[in-house]
Amino acid sequence: MTYKPNLTKNEPAAHELSNSMRCMGYSLESAIADIVDNSITAKATEIEIKFPVSPDDVCIAICDNGNGMTKEELFDAMKYGSTLKGKQRSEDDLGRFGMGLKSASHSQCRRLSVASKKNGNISAYVWDLDVIDEKHEWLMIDCSENDIAKIPFVDYLNQVKSGTVVVWQDFDFIRKEAGEEYSEIVRQQNDVADYLSLIFHRYLSKDKKDRLSIKINNFQLEPLDPFLENHPKTSVKKSISIPVKDSGGIERMISIQPYILPFQKDLTKEDEKKSGGVENYRTKQGFYIYRNERLIIWGTWFNRHRDELTKYARIKVDIPNTLDDVWGIDIKKQNAKIPASIRQRLTRAVDEAMDASIKKQQYRGRIAKVDENLEYIWNRTENRGQYTYSINRESKIFKLLESHLDEDAKSYLDIVLAEIEKNIPFHQIYLDKSKNVIDETDNDERIVEIVNNARMMLPVIMKLNASLSKEQAVENIFKSEPFCKHLELKQKILEMC
């Protein structure tokens, strides 16, 4: 006899779930980008984003001339977890879960109005969180003709054959944080423009017949160019394709295109602007992951080792939406986890990009060590009788620091360390050393510091090399500075850990 469980409905509380769904970490620019995704999926060629121009009427509208929706299609699109979206998802769809329209919008505002035109008919629905909070039910406003006429910027639909207008009103989060929504939204307008110019730069720079136009209050967005592809000194490396099976076992292709950007001295002001600004030029090297030509994440090495040769490298990686689950694309389309199965192959692509044409960025010469069996904090590199000093990024004490930093912080750390290395006060150190006035003793407090540093490093070393026993890991630590100077502390570390 087949067992049949007793089934009972347990529907979520509308007012609780609708409010908790608002706290998903969208910024204003990433939320607007999510709506633009829908416009692109709907084959829009023109998108107009309306920011408020007066404190008397504060709203944001995203208007497009895409395919539009019938009343039935719009009703489904306004549903949390659109069913039609899941069934009819095409390979050029920029959506993910059928949640973006609602979650992105309500992350910024309490009232979401969507009007859409298709086959000459305009229909509209409104999600108002005040209504849901009052009624404790998933109740939408089904707009009459009079209601539709009151939606800001709905007149845009009279100018196009088909299209959609998304309107945000009642920015409660911004009001709570900034005190006044109008000035804060206007302040963020330039940030939104810069963000969209980067995220959608490949759509904005297509050939004229396929090019996407995005305007913010009639200001035409120009695409950024993170790879400076047209710069004469940009080095374009050999492209690579990697086959990866999706969750259904179908083989899909990932395309990889490495670029080596020009030195900063070879950039004009226009080049700096196109690449995302001088700060990003120094901190946003690494992988640029695109999903259907839409930039998802950028300026990350996925914890790959950084060195002089990666300082000007940017790697374009194209993945299809059919690999979303493999890459772990999140609902905001702002994060992806590189699959272990292809991490090695992507790293190899980076290594192949670092060929002889950029070896001039690397320290030439060899690292001179007093004892080859010890790991030093400082590298002393000899080149034709001259020496340079650099902090050993492979040292265990450095790895301890690196293990607690995110990708952005690592980029800024590289900048700071490079300046420290270039500004060592050699002359003053020499004078102080010759006078024997440098304090090189390790007092009791310093010994405690060394012990505690070793204790913190132990789990990091064991995580990096899971095959090591605790004793072997401690032995490993004491082959590096500063621990190698205090071998008598090894037993103490073992006893304490």
Side-chain angles (χ1 to χ4, degrees), residues 366 368 380-389 426:
R366 98 192 145 75
R380 178 175 179 259
T381 307
E382 188 272 336
N383 180 32
R384 299 175 184 174
Q386 299 293 309
Y387 290 90
T388 56
Y389 289 82
F426 293 108

Side-chain angles (χ1 to χ4, degrees), residues 104-358:
S105 299
H106 283 311
S107 73
Q108 305 301 313
C109 70
R110 293 189 62 81
R111 185 179 176 90
L112 163 66
S113 305
V114 183
S116 196
K117 180 180 181 180
K118 189 172 184 178
N119 301 328
N121 298 316
I122 298 176
S123 51
Y125 287 100
V126 175
W127 275 122
D128 190 325
L129 296 185
D130 288 347
V131 172
I132 294 176
D133 286 352
E134 179 187 348
K135 303 294 185 182
H136 289 205
E137 290 187 70
W138 294 104
L139 295 174
M140 256 189 332
I141 298 171
D142 182 352
C143 296
S144 65
E145 282 190 28
N146 287 337
D147 294 329
I148 292 173
K150 295 175 184 177
I151 295 174
F153 299 103
V154 75
D155 287 348
Y156 171 88
L157 296 177
N158 296 326
Q159 307 166 29
V160 295
K161 182 179 178 182
S162 61
T164 300
V165 173
V166 176
V167 180
W168 297 348
Q169 294 169 289
D170 193 0
F171 298 88
D172 59 329
F173 285 156
I174 291 177
R175 231 176 10 252
K176 290 173 185 175
E177 292 173 9
E180 203 275 311
E181 53 190 346
Y182 170 71
S183 58
E184 178 62 18
I185 289 172
V186 171
R187 186 190 67 79
Q188 294 189 50
Q189 185 172 318
N190 287 338
D191 292 337
V192 172
D194 291 342
Y195 187 84
L196 299 182
S197 294
L198 175 62
I199 295 294
F200 299 106
H201 75 91
R202 292 171 70 176
Y203 289 92
L204 294 169
S205 58
K206 287 178 181 286
D207 292 337
K208 192 170 183 179
K209 65 182 181 67
D210 298 319
R211 187 180 304 158
L212 175 67
S213 167
I214 302 179
K215 293 180 180 178
I216 296 183
N217 285 4
N218 297 319
F219 171 76
Q220 184 77 49
L221 296 190
E222 294 296 329
L224 295 182
D225 180 9
F227 308 106
L228 291 179
E229 294 187 57
N230 296 320
H231 195 287
K233 293 195 175 181
T234 294
S235 179
V236 183
K237 301 302 171 183
K238 180 183 176 183
S239 61
I240 301 168
S241 294
I242 297 178
V244 176
K245 288 185 178 179
D246 64 18
S247 55
I250 300 172
E251 191 173 89
R252 310 289 184 177
M253 298 304 295
I254 295 174
S255 299
I256 303 164
Q257 178 64 71
Y259 297 85
I260 308 301
L261 275 60
F263 290 122
Q264 291 184 71
K265 67 181 179 62
D266 295 321
L267 301 183
T268 64
K269 291 288 185 184
E270 185 63 24
D271 293 330
E272 289 179 357
K273 183 179 177 182
K274 279 186 178 179
S275 64
V278 66
E279 181 179 347
N280 284 342
Y281 200 78
R282 300 188 69 184
T283 63
K284 292 299 182 182
Q285 316 305 0
F287 290 105
Y288 279 61
I289 309 295
Y290 294 82
R291 174 179 174 269
N292 290 358
E293 299 189 323
R294 192 263 206 208
L295 188 57
I296 301 174
I297 51 175
W298 60 96
T300 174
W301 285 113
F302 292 115
N303 293 317
R304 180 192 184 276
H305 167 63
R306 299 156 180 265
D307 53 33
E308 282 290 302
L309 295 185
T310 61
K311 193 158 63 173
Y312 293 104
R314 293 185 176 182
I315 317 297
K316 182 196 293 182
V317 180
D318 279 299
I319 61 173
N321 66 4
T322 47
L323 292 177
D324 281 354
D325 52 349
V326 177
W327 279 77
I329 306 295
D330 72 352
I331 191 171
K332 303 190 302 295
K333 289 161 283 185
Q334 286 182 279
N335 291 294
K337 294 180 181 177
I338 183 171
S341 60
I342 64 169
R343 184 183 296 118
Q344 216 170 18
R345 285 179 282 177
L346 277 177
T347 299
R348 194 181 307 129
V350 176
D351 292 337
E352 289 177 7
M354 311 306 158
D355 63 14
S357 68
I358 58 160

